[in-house]
Amino acid sequence: MTRRSPRPAARVLGIVTVLARTVLGAAAGAGRPPTPVQRFAARRPVLLAVCAGTPIGLVVVLAAWPRVRTAADVAFVLANCVLVYCVFALAGYGERARQRLLGRDRRTPKRG
């Protein structure tokens, strides 16, 4: 029994996948080591969320303070603050995934 070659559509999809991975990898900085800020974000995404989200959360609270009248208003403001924290934490986890994908995980230095 002979093995059939993949269909032309599958071959084209494979080529597109490899090309997209190469182009996106180059755009994501595959040839450069991560900056200190990128390493910090990848190592400590929750701390990044707290440090970057707190000033924005304070601005949200101060902007909404004159209109806060009920418990639902307080819950809405707190939900917005939690959303800001989640966005920064997801950015940190995304940076961690990007560095792993590009092979830039600094926890185990390569010797050679």
Side-chain angles (χ1 to χ4, degrees):
M1 180 181 227
T2 61
R3 187 172 177 185
R4 292 181 0 189
S5 65
R7 290 190 265 166
R11 266 190 275 139
V12 169
L13 185 60
I15 292 169
V16 169
T17 303
V18 170
L19 183 63
R21 195 173 281 179
T22 304
V23 169
L24 291 176
R32 298 181 310 258
T35 64
V37 174
Q38 290 172 329
R39 275 189 255 138
F40 175 82
R43 287 181 184 160
R44 300 172 189 92
V46 175
L47 186 60
L48 171 74
V50 170
C51 290
T54 299
I56 295 173
L58 286 174
V59 168
V60 168
V61 168
L62 290 175
W65 188 256
R67 294 184 174 204
V68 173
R69 301 273 187 255
T70 63
D73 296 336
V74 173
F76 181 73
V77 170
L78 289 178
N80 283 322
C81 292
V82 168
L83 181 66
V84 169
Y85 288 131
C86 289
V87 166
F88 281 108
L90 286 174
Y93 284 117
E95 179 62 28
R96 179 183 290 181
R98 184 190 74 85
Q99 288 182 21
R100 279 197 185 137
L101 180 69
L102 296 176
R104 301 277 186 217
D105 194 4
R106 298 292 187 194
R107 286 183 285 179
T108 56
K110 293 181 181 178
R111 307 219 182 218

